[in-house]
Amino acid sequence: FGPDSLMPTFRDIKDVTGASVQYPMIGDEDMTVAKLYGMIHPNASGNAKSRTAADNATVRNVFVIGPDKKIKMILTYPMSTGRNFNEILRVIDSLQLTASASVATPADWKQGDDVIILASVSDEAAKEKFPGGWKTLKPYLRMVPQPGK
């Protein structure tokens, strides 16, 4: 749902953080989505407006959905823990990079760090894709500077 259907939520985020939400959010008033994705007990009844904040204590999920309409990532947090936007942005950077290059990103990768040449890319094909060479840590683990950097 866009800003019109969730105006108080969007205004609250802007008031508290100074940031405007530029992505879709789901206003799940009848708890359909929360039940489908295991964010609230499946026997929860009523709707979100008729329940208390304690009743609606769901786990918080962040979904990243790709252009192909498939879920690429789900981060699940308890209600008591804030989301890590740096991690969300890091994952989106990785998803965008790995969708267009024959690489994978290692744990804790950040923009500009070295990446891993996919094991499915032969050394001969890697020579064409990565003419600057790479560092072989194991036969299946070849590190290369991030393409495009």
Side-chain angles (χ1 to χ4, degrees):
F1 294 68
D4 293 340
S5 60
L6 294 172
M7 284 307 287
T9 301
F10 281 76
R11 275 194 305 268
D12 287 353
I13 291 170
K14 174 86 170 153
D15 289 347
V16 172
T17 69
S20 295
V21 175
Q22 301 297 319
Y23 50 85
M25 294 176 74
I26 297 172
D28 188 23
E29 292 181 9
D30 65 358
M31 302 180 300
T32 301
V33 174
K35 288 179 182 179
L36 282 171
Y37 287 92
M39 298 163 65
I40 197 166
H41 195 281
N43 294 331
S45 61
N47 63 43
K49 287 185 178 182
S50 68
R51 296 165 53 85
T52 67
D55 291 335
N56 285 331
T58 62
V59 295
R60 308 304 195 192
N61 287 322
V62 176
F63 299 90
V64 174
I65 302 171
D68 59 0
K69 309 290 187 224
K70 293 183 180 178
I71 293 176
K72 302 298 182 183
M73 180 205 65
I74 302 173
L75 276 174
T76 303
Y77 294 83
M79 187 175 166
S80 59
T81 302
R83 268 64 72 214
N84 181 332
F85 281 97
N86 289 331
E87 175 61 6
I88 295 165
L89 293 173
R90 186 193 78 81
V91 170
I92 291 170
D93 286 342
S94 173
L95 290 168
Q96 290 174 337
L97 174 64
T98 60
S100 63
S102 299
V103 297
T105 56
D108 299 323
W109 172 87
K110 299 180 298 300
Q111 272 290 0
D113 287 355
D114 287 353
V115 295
I116 301 166
I117 300 172
L118 294 179
S120 60
V121 176
S122 69
D123 282 347
E124 288 71 36
K127 286 176 188 172
E128 285 185 34
K129 291 180 183 273
F130 309 103
W134 59 84
K135 181 179 178 183
T136 302
L137 303 178
K138 296 283 184 182
Y140 56 86
L141 189 56
R142 299 166 292 171
M143 302 298 293
V144 65
Q146 178 181 329
K149 287 290 174 185

